Amino acid sequence: MNGRRFTIPGPLRSFAVVPALLLPLGLGLPMSGAGLHASTAPISGAEGTGLEAEATMNDLAVRVMDGGREDRGVTQAQVTLFRSGTESLADRRVTGSLTGTDGRVVFGELPAGEYLMMVEAAGFETQERSVRLPADDIVEVILQPRPLTLDEVVGTASPLRSGVVYTAAQTFDRDELAQRLDASIGSMLDGEPGVAMRSLGAAPTRPVIRGFDGDRILVLENGERMGDVGESSAAHAVALDPLAVERLEVVRGPASLLYGSGALGGVVNMTTRDMPRTWSRGWEGAVQTQAASMNRSGSGSGTLLYGAEDWATTFRFSAREAGDMQTPDGTIGDTWISSLDGSLGFVRQWDEVRLGFSGSFVDREYGIPEAWDDPDEEVFLTMERQTLQTRLDWEPRQPGAIQGLEVRSNISRFFQQEIEQEFENGRLADREIGLEYDAVSASGTATLRHGQLGAFGEGAFGLAIRARQLDIGGEEAFVPGADERSIGIFTFQEAPLTPDLSFQLGGRIESNWNEARPNDRFPEVDETRNSTAFSGSVGLNWRPGAGWETGVQLARAHRVPIVEELFANGAHLAAGVFEIGSTELEDEVSHGLDLFVRRDFARGSVEVAGFANWINDYVAFQPLGRIDEESGFPVFQYQGTDARMIGGEVTADLQVNDVWSLGAGVDYVQGTRTVGAGDPLPAIPPLRSRFQVRADPGRWWAGATFRAVATQDRVAEDEPATDGYVLLDAQAGFRVDPMGNHSVIVRIDNALDESYQDHLSRLRQDGLLMPGRNVSVSYRWRF
């Protein structure tokens, strides 16, 4: 028995019961089982505020309407109620919620009296008004349109403030992320339109967008590259815990124009609040804990922000401990996780300038199920990352030719070891560092936004630089290291052709210099690759009538092969494969067409998105159908081929009434070699569909999600097929107090304990199943 098979250690074992302990403390309630009688409870601080301390509770119904189209409600408007008084708004906040698809929101159990109501929505002027309860009828608020600001749009897809998009994109705020909280970003996004997951256990997961994987998908932190090696192998994890993420943006489609090599398939941008753009005076923060049954996991996080008039400081810390994964067939050993994350940040605001700094760290260990059934052998990874980030914003109070400037930078040091241990009679007999990554990287982007420039209404010019020194060592190093440098200049221009039709044009020129670094396995390597590439896009966005929006984009993108694809020649222990690269591989060049049509109704929406990408010199990770004799691993080769990716997504949402809502979606992608016999590409997700039902009367919500995944038998040569399956997930939440500051979420994943294999999981090559039924409970306290 090895020393890594453990129960959750003392300090973190208590996460499973923290919700039960913190809940009464946070609410100021007794620990006894006495019930809550909100209808007659005194309201703290009610004296002199216009709220009656002992009163019958009332409901308040609000409908927020679009002042530009008064037949249409405003979706996702933030409606917040405050007590009257002289204290700060933060101290007087009573409750708040977002409107549904019809622009409605209902608050329950409010004492009679006078309130200040603030209504905010992206693209509209903020409105404040007094409301007195009890109210005789629905309170209707009409918001007047205004130009969008950068924070309100999918900033990952466009550097401008217009809010116009030309390709499919999604955003997830903190509340949405809390409802889907998991051990990794990949598992949290799995099942979203066009987004699947590559995995090798609970920790090493990564998003797959429209069939594009690895280095073709950029995973960013605050808009910059993270400096980890998550893109290079199924055994490598994203070096940031989801507990740290405040907002998540997903762009489906090529984004090389803004981000250079590696954004050929899409972008996932994780935004933290380490350097906030806005803040209130005083203290604010949140505490969150979660416990889960499938791998006996516990996690917890805390964030704290103190804001003064012209500066703010932030603190963030999170910890996670998890045991081995449980499947319907039993336990998969060596799939545990142990991690710590933290950061400190500071922001200073001058008249038109804001400057922020943050320092963060990640310290993580996780098991790899290479020898999962051998109690005398263990494979695991250790990961460390230290990062310094800065951001400078200049926002002129009277913008003219220059609309603003943003400068971002990220400097990081990343260190990872893949370790193999052997035990005899329960004692450590041998320890070997099979593979070691030591990387120092820096990246920076400066974006200057301008006003009217000829035919273009607004636009941006940018400069991006990146450098990384990657040393690779260890007893089983199968690739050399690399020196990577790039510099690119880009422009993104937008022209309003009519009030309903916008035109976008962009281009980027980027030079890349890559040189192999020798190590013990490759002592004489001196390969150098230099290239200059052009990326560009042209797009149209058309809003022909109320609720209609259409976007189309033609884009050229490129990607420089990574060091593993060029030089690999040996067994990769953690990934469990024998990899063969080729220095003859060329840069990938993609020409893509993206199209989406969206229709918003009074009570719902429908979106249809389609895409087609033709890629020259696509690098396929092709199984060869043989086993390496020495390692016992299947052999894979990086092969260059011309390829085509086509597919699409359909999503629909319906607000049946003020309580019930429905959602449905389907997505499909087909990857094909366009040379030879037209064989399928390997590792392409199957056809997937989902159906969701949810009830949300106000204080609580509950729902269920059905996911159906088809058999994937359109596979590459020597790639095994996978059977289809159906999963049932259930979710429920309770907003403990009327202010919504305390919430409890219960989630049951794979409720029927279905036995299944995921086509993109490397677990299936050993015949292993995906996780079985998992019950998780999380508690969140905002203050």
Side-chain angles (χ1 to χ4, degrees):
M1 177 178 178
N2 77 51
R4 278 285 172 185
R5 310 272 169 81
F6 58 90
T7 58
I8 299 172
L12 291 176
R13 188 183 304 125
S14 60
F15 282 138
V17 296
V18 164
L21 296 177
L22 283 183
L23 185 57
L25 296 177
L27 294 173
L29 302 178
M31 293 290 287
S32 71
L36 297 178
H37 301 285
S39 59
T40 59
I43 307 299
S44 175
E47 297 81 0
T49 66
L51 303 185
E52 299 176 22
E54 301 278 349
T56 303
M57 294 302 185
N58 301 272
D59 291 342
L60 172 64
V62 180
R63 188 178 187 196
V64 182
M65 305 299 294
D66 184 342
R69 299 171 179 171
E70 294 193 14
D71 61 332
R72 181 180 176 187
V74 177
T75 303
Q76 295 289 294
Q78 176 68 41
V79 181
T80 310
L81 297 178
F82 302 89
R83 292 183 282 107
S84 58
T86 58
E87 307 101 315
S88 69
L89 284 179
D91 293 334
R92 291 188 285 129
R93 184 181 185 275
V94 176
T95 186
S97 186
L98 295 172
T99 58
T101 54
D102 60 350
R104 294 175 184 264
V105 63
V106 177
F107 300 100
E109 300 187 359
L110 295 171
E114 185 137 354
Y115 296 83
L116 171 67
M117 181 170 66
M118 180 182 295
V119 184
E120 304 168 282
F124 295 90
E125 298 286 353
T126 298
Q127 186 176 134
E128 297 181 6
R129 61 180 291 183
S130 278
V131 175
R132 183 161 190 86
L133 293 183
D136 295 332
D137 204 350
I138 254 184
V139 176
E140 191 168 277
V141 180
I142 300 176
L143 297 184
Q144 297 305 315
R146 64 163 172 78
L148 284 157
T149 62
L150 184 63
D151 282 348
E152 297 167 338
V153 302
V154 186
T156 308
S158 168
L160 306 183
R161 295 173 176 265
S162 66
V164 179
V165 294
Y166 302 89
T167 187
Q170 284 177 282
T171 64
F172 303 90
D173 62 23
R174 185 61 178 168
D175 289 337
E176 293 171 305
L177 294 174
Q179 293 180 18
R180 61 183 68 213
L181 182 63
D182 210 335
S184 68
I185 292 296
S187 58
M188 290 170 63
L189 290 177
D190 185 29
E192 290 301 313
V195 185
M197 173 185 68
R198 178 195 76 188
S199 68
L200 184 59
T205 72
R206 205 166 189 273
V208 175
I209 300 178
R210 291 178 166 177
F212 289 103
D213 187 13
D215 191 50
R216 300 179 187 92
I217 302 300
L218 279 187
V219 178
L220 308 174
E221 180 184 7
N222 298 320
E224 291 295 317
R225 298 173 188 246
M226 300 177 63
D228 61 6
V229 293
E231 75 283 353
S232 62
S233 169
H236 298 165
V238 175
L240 185 67
D241 195 287
L243 287 164
V245 181
E246 191 77 17
R247 174 183 169 96
L248 191 66
E249 297 181 353
V250 180
V251 177
R252 309 195 300 271
S256 287
L257 168 64
L258 298 178
Y259 299 101
S261 175
L264 189 143
V267 176
V268 176
N269 186 19
M270 301 178 293
T271 302
T272 68
R273 205 158 183 236
D274 299 340
M275 298 179 290
R277 295 180 184 271
T278 60
W279 59 85
S280 301
R281 298 187 66 174
W283 292 98
E284 62 179 272
V287 174
Q288 183 163 328
T289 67
Q290 184 184 51
S293 65
M294 182 272 297
N295 53 2
R296 299 173 293 112
S297 68
S299 64
S301 70
T303 60
L304 196 62
L305 183 150
Y306 178 78
E309 182 176 352
D310 54 5
W311 61 270
T313 186
T314 64
F315 168 78
R316 165 175 60 82
F317 183 80
S318 63
R320 185 181 300 276
E321 294 282 346
D324 291 332
M325 287 171 42
Q326 305 290 323
T327 77
D329 273 356
T331 301
I332 302 178
D334 297 337
T335 51
W336 49 267
I337 307 171
S338 177
S339 70
L340 296 173
D341 293 62
S343 78
L344 285 172
F346 180 81
V347 182
R348 178 72 162 86
Q349 176 80 51
W350 291 274
D351 183 31
E352 298 179 344
V353 177
R354 182 172 55 251
L355 178 63
F357 302 88
S358 75
S360 62
F361 76 92
V362 175
D363 190 345
R364 181 176 301 173
E365 294 185 2
Y366 59 90
I368 294 293
E370 164 53 31
W372 66 275
D373 56 350
D374 185 351
D376 295 325
E377 184 177 350
E378 177 187 44
V379 178
F380 66 97
L381 272 70
T382 66
M383 173 198 299
E384 298 175 8
R385 183 173 74 109
Q386 300 87 35
T387 304
L388 174 64
Q389 297 182 79
T390 66
R391 189 182 68 239
L392 171 70
D393 294 293
W394 173 44
E395 298 176 348
R397 294 193 180 278
Q398 295 181 336
I402 303 300
Q403 299 284 311
L405 172 70
E406 180 185 70
V407 181
R408 304 186 306 261
S409 71
N410 181 304
I411 301 172
S412 68
R413 191 258 181 170
F414 178 83
F415 184 72
Q416 177 176 291
Q417 291 182 329
E418 300 180 5
I419 300 172
E420 181 179 16
Q421 295 186 157
E422 295 182 358
F423 298 82
E424 290 183 4
N425 299 321
R427 301 181 64 181
L428 181 64
D430 186 44
R431 176 186 172 99
E432 179 181 277
I433 299 175
L435 193 59
E436 181 178 279
Y437 294 84
D438 193 348
V440 177
S441 61
S443 66
T445 305
T447 305
L448 180 69
R449 301 189 308 277
H450 64 78
Q452 183 79 30
L453 184 64
F456 294 100
E458 61 178 319
F461 291 95
L463 170 69
I465 58 175
R466 180 171 64 94
R468 181 170 76 161
Q469 178 181 295
L470 173 63
D471 287 309
I472 300 178
E475 298 291 331
E476 300 178 10
F478 64 99
V479 291
D483 278 326
E484 304 167 352
R485 299 180 303 280
S486 71
I487 183 169
I489 56 174
F490 63 88
T491 183
F492 188 100
Q493 302 295 323
E494 193 171 85
L497 302 181
T498 72
D500 297 319
L501 182 64
S502 298
F503 170 74
Q504 174 265 322
L505 178 67
R508 181 188 185 107
I509 297 177
E510 180 176 274
S511 293
N512 293 273
W513 300 272
N514 298 308
E515 182 178 357
R517 291 177 62 85
N519 57 19
D520 292 341
R521 178 74 181 275
F522 298 85
E524 299 180 0
V525 65
D526 61 354
E527 181 81 12
T528 300
R529 290 173 63 98
N530 301 328
S531 63
T532 299
F534 171 76
S535 301
S537 68
V538 57
L540 288 172
N541 180 283
W542 184 34
R543 301 179 179 182
W548 284 96
E549 182 175 16
T550 299
V552 60
Q553 177 179 269
L554 294 170
R556 172 188 167 97
H558 83 285
R559 186 183 74 90
V560 177
I562 60 177
V563 64
E564 286 83 359
E565 295 169 334
L566 296 171
F567 298 103
N569 186 20
H572 188 174
L573 175 65
V577 296
F578 189 99
E579 301 183 18
I580 301 174
S582 172
T583 57
E584 301 300 316
L585 296 173
E586 300 289 338
D587 290 4
E588 292 182 352
V589 177
S590 166
H591 297 87
L593 169 66
D594 284 87
L595 171 71
F596 77 90
V597 179
R598 180 178 177 86
R599 177 70 166 100
D600 289 320
F601 303 93
R603 286 188 171 271
S605 65
V606 176
E607 181 175 290
V608 179
F611 63 92
N613 292 282
W614 293 265
I615 310 106
N616 296 331
D617 300 303
Y618 180 90
V619 180
F621 193 47
Q622 179 68 41
L624 299 184
R626 67 173 190 263
I627 302 296
D628 174 62
E629 292 184 3
E630 182 177 350
S631 66
F633 294 156
V635 180
F636 284 71
Q637 184 178 32
Y638 294 102
Q639 297 180 350
T641 182
D642 292 342
R644 180 185 66 244
M645 291 276 200
I646 60 173
E649 304 96 30
V650 179
T651 58
D653 297 287
L654 174 64
Q655 189 74 36
V656 179
N657 53 38
D658 291 341
V659 174
W660 290 93
S661 62
L662 304 174
V666 61
D667 59 51
Y668 177 72
V669 58
Q670 183 186 92
T672 305
R673 293 175 182 251
T674 57
V675 295
D679 294 334
L681 292 173
I684 299 298
L687 172 69
R688 307 179 308 166
S689 63
R690 66 174 176 85
F691 176 77
Q692 185 175 31
V693 59
R694 177 178 168 121
D696 188 348
R699 287 292 297 274
W700 60 269
W701 58 268
T705 302
F706 300 85
R707 291 189 288 158
V709 179
T711 296
Q712 180 58 297
D713 53 11
R714 189 182 187 276
V715 293
E717 185 178 359
D718 298 314
E719 180 187 23
T722 48
D723 293 332
Y725 55 89
V726 176
L727 299 179
L728 170 63
D729 302 326
Q731 314 89 25
F734 180 60
R735 302 171 182 99
V736 180
D737 64 315
M739 292 185 289
N741 291 331
H742 299 265
S743 59
V744 177
I745 299 172
V746 180
R747 202 174 72 230
I748 306 176
D749 302 318
N750 191 7
L752 302 181
D753 206 27
E754 178 76 10
S755 298
Y756 72 101
Q757 292 183 324
D758 190 301
H759 190 71
L760 301 185
S761 174
R762 294 291 171 82
L763 293 174
R764 72 189 182 98
Q765 74 181 23
D766 293 324
L768 299 176
L769 299 178
M770 296 298 286
R773 182 186 299 111
N774 179 45
V775 180
S776 66
V777 180
S778 61
Y779 164 67
R780 188 180 179 206
W781 173 27
R782 296 182 302 181
F783 56 90

